[in-house]
Amino acid sequence: MKITVIGAGRWGSFIAYYLNSIGHTVTLYGPADTPDMLRFAKEKTNGIITVPDSLTLSNELASSIKADAVVISINSQGLRSLLGEIKAVGEKYPPFILCMKGIEISTGMRLTQVVSDCLPGAKSAVWIGPGHPQEFVKGVPNCMIIDSEDETFKNMLVESFSSPLIRFYYGCDLIGNEIGAATKNVIGIAAGMLDGLGLSSLKGALMSRGTREVARLIKAMGGNELSAYGLCHLGDYEATVFSEFSHNRKFGESFILGESYTSLAEGYYTAAAIKKLAEQYEVDMPICFAVYSALYNNVDPKEALALLFSRSLKQEL
């Protein structure tokens, strides 16, 4: 397949590297003046992957989207703007594969819904699940999911993207997979907050209760609540709640310690979007609400945690 990857950050660049390594013809696109593309143009590496000669770097959007499929790996809140740029330069749109996890704050839309809203008729799929580029490049394998409303497109992607390094599963619940993948970043921030407070032993309870509240939201939105226990959410917890490479966990810890953190932590934006969705669907999500309160309302994280433990007593399940 001829594939273009839009987004030259650590995940997007690894995806381009990976797809190229398993035999696809790949172009990595990014604006010429961005730090990632400037570094690749100068050094051919970002410290994680080195761009091989068989992988093309491009700063030209119009020519880059002339591909069999376009993978997008950018800040989820920037997706609508990017799709507007694509609409302005293209008459025909390739299928899109979304390799980011989030919910649009302004609309509450899942990212595949944003694609449909901006480019009616365009096919889209999501590529989600656990794994960090720093581990993949060392040959550490993992399992991931591809899901789409288009069964033929989904099946083709799973079959053509799978390898001994990444085993893909066929997704069967697009709502659940998108919501589960987005919300795990909020749980990741909560985990980092626990680390910063010296309460890492509470991560077991965080994972258990976090999965339950996310499952309730998925069910209320019309998805399968069991998806919360799959690779999109619970299965991604090790990479998000514990890993040294997790941006969301690091952000939560830095927030508690009063340290600056400049890398993208999608959970920050997702916390605001999830609060709106939970209120819309009348779902109780105490952990996500606590994270939101700390990030947006300046509630002391210790106070937010105390409120969780002072909730009324109830049966676990």
Side-chain angles (χ1 to χ4, degrees):
M1 291 176 64
K2 182 180 179 181
I3 301 170
T4 290
V5 178
I6 297 178
R10 67 174 188 173
W11 187 227
S13 61
F14 168 74
I15 290 171
Y17 173 86
Y18 168 74
L19 293 175
N20 180 75
S21 74
I22 61 173
H24 297 287
T25 301
V26 181
T27 295
L28 178 60
Y29 165 81
D33 58 351
T34 57
D36 293 318
M37 291 301 287
L38 286 170
R39 186 175 181 186
F40 277 129
K42 181 179 180 180
E43 304 175 20
K44 287 288 188 177
T45 183
N46 61 358
I48 299 174
I49 65 107
T50 298
V51 177
D53 293 337
S54 54
L55 198 161
T56 302
L57 297 177
S58 173
N59 308 126
E60 175 55 49
L61 183 60
S63 60
S64 295
I65 63 172
K66 295 177 181 178
D68 297 319
V70 170
V71 176
I72 302 178
S73 179
I74 63 170
N75 179 342
S76 62
Q77 302 307 312
L79 178 59
R80 185 176 292 274
S81 176
L82 171 65
L83 295 174
E85 293 179 39
I86 290 174
K87 186 174 184 178
V89 300
E91 297 179 359
K92 294 178 63 178
Y93 312 119
F96 297 99
I97 306 158
L98 307 178
C99 292
M100 64 267 222
K101 303 162 183 176
I103 298 166
E104 190 173 53
I105 296 175
S106 60
T107 64
M109 288 183 178
R110 294 177 284 112
L111 300 185
T112 57
Q113 292 177 309
V114 175
V115 173
S116 296
D117 190 45
C118 294
L119 303 175
K123 293 181 183 178
S124 65
V126 294
W127 168 346
I128 55 178
H132 289 293
Q134 295 93 329
E135 295 169 335
F136 280 132
V137 295
K138 294 179 181 178
V140 179
N142 219 319
C143 300
M144 305 189 82
I145 303 171
I146 290 177
D147 205 349
S148 174
E149 290 183 344
D150 188 304
E151 290 289 320
T152 301
F153 183 45
K154 173 178 66 180
N155 295 342
M156 182 272 292
L157 292 177
V158 169
E159 291 162 10
S160 60
F161 285 5
S162 292
S163 76
L165 185 63
I166 302 179
R167 174 191 170 97
F168 283 100
Y169 284 83
Y170 299 93
C172 56
D173 176 26
L174 189 58
I175 292 174
N177 281 322
E178 287 194 84
I179 295 299
T183 50
K184 66 95 186 176
N185 287 329
V186 182
I187 303 300
I189 290 178
M193 290 180 171
L194 291 178
D195 287 336
L197 292 168
L199 298 172
S200 301
S201 61
L202 283 175
K203 286 184 179 180
L206 173 72
M207 292 189 292
S208 176
R209 301 313 305 165
T211 305
R212 283 301 302 138
E213 67 180 62
V214 171
R216 290 196 295 267
L217 178 61
I218 290 172
K219 182 178 181 180
M221 293 181 68
N224 184 343
E225 64 182 318
L226 291 179
S227 292
Y229 300 88
L231 289 169
C232 74
H233 190 78
L234 181 61
D236 205 348
Y237 270 3
E238 192 282 331
T240 304
V241 172
F242 296 98
S243 175
E244 63 178 305
F245 303 124
S246 169
H247 281 324
N248 290 284
R249 190 204 63 77
K250 285 184 177 181
F251 173 81
E253 184 174 19
S254 297
F255 183 83
I256 292 296
L257 299 177
E259 299 173 351
S260 175
Y261 192 77
T262 58
S263 296
L264 173 64
E266 282 282 11
Y268 175 83
Y269 305 101
T270 304
I274 286 297
K275 182 175 184 295
K276 287 185 178 181
L277 284 178
E279 291 172 345
Q280 176 185 344
Y281 288 94
E282 299 181 340
V283 176
D284 187 26
M285 302 188 71
I287 295 173
C288 290
F289 287 174
V291 172
Y292 175 86
S293 296
L295 297 181
Y296 289 89
N297 293 339
N298 296 316
V299 173
D300 187 308
K302 291 182 180 179
E303 180 182 337
L305 182 64
L307 289 174
L308 290 177
F309 277 87
S310 64
R311 287 164 58 85
S312 61
L313 304 180
K314 62 186 69 177
Q315 293 184 354
E316 180 185 15
L317 302 176

